[in-house]
Amino acid sequence: VAIGATLTIGTVGFSLIGGYPVFDAFYLTLTTMTTVGYGDQFSHAARVFNAFLIFVGVSTIFIAIGAMTQTIIEFELGDAIGKRRNKRMIDKLKDHYIICGFGRVGRGAAAELHHAGVPFVVVDIQPERVERAMMSGMLAVAADSTRDDTLHQVGIERARGLVAALSTDADNLFVLLSAKGLNPKIYVATRAAEEGAEEKMRRAGADAVFAPYAITGHRLAQSLLRPHVVQFLDFTTKDIAMDISLEQVRVSAGSEVVSKTIREMQLRRNMGVIVMAIRRRDGNMLFNPPADTAVEAGDYLIVMGKQEDLLALEGLAEPGSARN
């Protein structure tokens, strides 16, 4: 805009003051602004005007060139600096989660982890999806998650869990095998689209397998047959009440609640927390445990309550935990 305005002012000025044709006036203005130079052929009035034009026009050109150069350098360096900063943040992650694939399923998983406030990184081969994740405030890497070097790049050895949400069962199975091979202790949850893929993925080592289409069909039917049950499940899993959450709390060996019964702990009266189930160390799930049920080290309490009450219970059941 500044260059165009200066060219216009110079052309009009030379036409009116020096009496030049429009094209000649434009040519004189352009040569003045670009410091090309020409013989002195002006009248006194035209020289006065040209002195002003030299100062304004040359300054405008230099400023424009500097602004364009700065924009190009900032764009190139900014991209490189952003990638290095992203890599440093990923290198610092520990006990984090990895989401492979940022499609509809991956976005849902990322949103839930983001809402929970836990560290995680998104990996997707499509740059536009990675940009979308980063615009949402998430760490993301544009790479092929089926490659071992990509999983190393996002800290698979230090990760706590991985979500395989790629578009095909073959790719998810490949990520599952790679992740378990690089970190046998990692918890892997994967999606399965085709019938029969769920059992194969469990045999390959998946800790949790979800078939989105089957689950959706089941929930649709349940919403017709048992709408109030579905409403309750939505209440416990979708944070309809912002201050109510469903959480799992591990009971450590050094906790003061070990060997105590639910009646003795008085969780509902003292903390406002409801114990809905207990997962024993052997994997058995005890639903709606009686009041005389004793809690042992290694058990997981499935509880519901306000977030601050759940954190207080976690501090009691697992003192010194990383989350606390």
Side-chain angles (χ1 to χ4, degrees):
V1 172
I3 293 174
T6 305
L7 281 171
T8 302
I9 293 172
T11 302
V12 173
F14 277 129
S15 296
L16 298 178
I17 298 174
Y20 293 95
V22 175
F23 179 78
D24 292 343
F26 171 78
Y27 178 76
L28 290 175
T29 304
L30 185 63
T31 54
T32 299
M33 292 178 62
T34 56
T35 67
V36 171
Y38 41 73
D40 191 346
Q41 49 184 304
F42 300 130
S43 63
H44 178 75
R47 288 176 181 175
V48 173
F49 173 75
N50 194 46
F52 167 78
L53 182 63
I54 289 173
F55 176 78
V56 175
V58 173
S59 299
T60 301
I61 287 292
F62 286 164
I63 291 173
I65 293 175
M68 289 186 289
T69 303
Q70 179 182 0
T71 301
I72 294 172
I73 293 176
E74 286 181 350
F75 178 79
E76 295 294 335
L77 292 182
D79 187 56
I81 292 173
K83 289 181 179 179
R84 287 198 297 267
R85 182 171 60 249
N86 204 35
K87 185 178 184 303
R88 286 197 302 268
M89 295 177 67
I90 293 174
D91 290 341
K92 294 179 181 179
L93 292 177
K94 185 179 180 181
D95 290 333
H96 60 288
Y97 300 91
I98 301 170
I99 298 179
C100 298
F102 201 63
R104 287 176 294 179
V105 176
R107 288 196 297 270
E112 186 64 25
L113 293 179
H114 189 66
H115 176 72
V118 298
F120 69 95
V121 57
V122 173
V123 184
D124 198 288
I125 199 170
Q126 298 186 23
E128 58 272 14
R129 290 184 175 182
V130 172
E131 183 178 357
R132 179 175 180 177
M134 296 179 70
M135 291 295 291
S136 300
M138 305 174 185
L139 279 176
V141 174
D144 185 357
S145 55
T146 62
R147 298 176 58 89
D148 287 358
D149 55 350
T150 299
L151 296 179
H152 282 299
Q153 181 182 351
V154 295
I156 186 68
E157 301 87 352
R158 308 183 306 274
R160 174 179 293 184
L162 180 143
V163 174
L166 300 178
S167 57
T168 67
D169 291 339
D171 287 341
N172 288 324
L173 183 59
F174 204 94
V175 170
L176 166 63
L177 294 173
S178 298
K180 286 294 185 178
L182 297 173
N183 183 357
K185 296 182 179 179
I186 194 170
Y187 189 98
V188 178
T190 180
R191 61 165 287 179
E194 302 295 332
E195 294 183 7
E198 181 176 351
E199 183 58 31
K200 293 179 182 178
M201 290 183 177
R202 292 191 184 278
R203 291 202 304 266
D207 299 283
V209 182
F210 297 93
Y213 302 116
I215 293 175
T216 302
H218 175 76
R219 292 295 294 273
L220 288 172
Q222 289 294 321
S223 67
L224 298 177
L225 301 174
R226 303 174 184 86
H228 301 304
V229 173
V230 173
Q231 183 181 6
F232 174 76
L233 294 175
D234 289 338
F235 174 82
T236 59
T237 58
K238 293 185 179 180
D239 291 331
I240 292 179
M242 296 302 294
D243 58 340
I244 301 295
S245 299
L246 190 66
E247 189 59 85
Q248 61 178 40
V249 177
R250 183 179 181 274
V251 179
S252 64
S255 173
E256 62 183 76
V257 303
V258 173
S259 300
K260 287 187 177 181
T261 64
I262 296 178
R263 179 184 292 108
E264 292 172 337
M265 289 187 290
Q266 292 293 327
L267 296 180
R268 184 169 185 176
R269 185 186 66 181
N270 298 335
M271 294 186 176
V273 174
I274 302 173
V275 180
M276 304 186 67
I278 299 177
R279 183 191 182 276
R280 296 298 192 181
R281 285 183 298 176
D282 57 8
N284 291 327
M285 186 72 72
L286 179 61
F287 293 96
N288 191 24
D292 58 353
T293 302
V295 176
E296 303 298 336
D299 290 347
Y300 280 88
L301 303 180
I302 312 301
V303 292
M304 179 186 290
K306 294 183 178 180
Q307 191 64 34
E308 58 270 21
D309 296 333
L310 296 177
L311 289 174
L313 174 60
E314 188 174 17
L316 185 66
E318 193 176 5
S321 67
R323 180 173 173 179
N324 293 325

